[in-house]
């Protein structure tokens, strides 16, 4: 699975020690990353509504898309938030919320093959994303600008 998810080593409080957070509305919008080699990535998130945010991502190079993914962040009834990913429109994988603050949200599922951690955060008006294994290895990062902006 390859989609924009975020990184930054920052201090966070485990979710169990906090109340259930609101959906991360600060992720809403259309986001893009352009590489010097013609590689690109787009990610889209709806604003929170009906206890969920719906997302989509695609990655490619030149005019050829290579990967797409359907995603959503949902409020689990009476529990917490979860990130659900369906790479290529296939089977869904669920990642429970493990940490958050006002500008960062992280989900993890150690039983999943890859990724096992998914983190999004806002930094300087941009949406950042990171995926990795639980120990932080095999990390991939994205640095998205607002689509149509810089």
């Amino acid at each position: 699975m390859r989609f924009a998810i975020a990184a930054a080593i920052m201090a966070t409080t485990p979710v169990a020690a906090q109340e259930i957070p609101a959906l991360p509305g600060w992720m809403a919008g259309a986001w893009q990353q352009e590489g010097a080699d013609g590689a690109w990535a787009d990610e889209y998130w709806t604003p929170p509504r009906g206890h969920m945010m719906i997302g989509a991502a695609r990655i490619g190079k030149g005019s050829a898309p290579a990967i797409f993914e359907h995603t959503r962040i949902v409020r689990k009834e009476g529990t917490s938030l979860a990130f659900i990913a369906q790479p290529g429109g296939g089977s869904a994988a669920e990642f429970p919320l493990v940490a958050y603050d006002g500008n960062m949200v992280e989900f993890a599922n150690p039983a999943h093959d890859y990724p096992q951690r998914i983190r999004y955060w806002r930094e300087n008006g941009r949406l950042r994303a990171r995926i990795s294994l639980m120990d932080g290895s095999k990390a991939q990062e994205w640095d998205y600008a607002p689509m149509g902006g810089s």
Side-chain angles (χ1 to χ4, degrees):
M1 283 185 332
R2 299 171 205 259
F3 43 84
I5 322 169
I9 305 300
M10 54 178 77
T12 60
T13 303
V15 173
Q18 302 178 3
E19 63 183 60
I20 299 169
L23 288 161
W26 46 264
M27 290 173 56
W31 304 94
Q32 66 183 358
Q33 176 178 294
E34 301 289 337
D37 62 352
W40 51 266
D42 299 337
E43 190 151 335
Y44 308 87
W45 284 100
T46 63
R49 190 171 195 177
H51 302 292
M52 77 169 58
M53 294 175 68
I54 297 173
R58 60 184 176 179
I59 298 173
K61 188 167 185 175
S63 63
I67 297 167
F68 76 93
E69 183 169 50
H70 301 291
T71 53
R72 61 191 181 274
I73 298 173
V74 299
R75 176 167 303 287
K76 302 295 282 188
E77 191 172 326
T79 58
S80 187
L81 303 180
F83 182 93
I84 300 169
Q86 292 180 263
S91 298
E94 187 170 316
F95 298 80
L97 180 69
V98 294
Y100 75 96
D101 69 22
N103 291 307
M104 184 281 300
V105 63
E106 183 173 311
F107 304 90
N109 178 345
H112 193 259
D113 56 355
Y114 184 83
Q116 295 174 330
R117 280 192 184 276
I118 300 168
R119 179 183 282 202
Y120 285 93
W121 73 100
R122 289 293 300 268
E123 186 176 306
N124 299 321
R126 300 172 76 87
L127 180 66
R128 305 284 309 273
R130 179 182 188 173
I131 61 175
S132 70
L133 293 176
M134 290 302 293
D135 65 4
S137 64
K138 297 187 179 181
Q140 295 183 56
E141 292 192 23
W142 291 264
D143 181 5
Y144 292 109
M147 199 167 280
S150 56

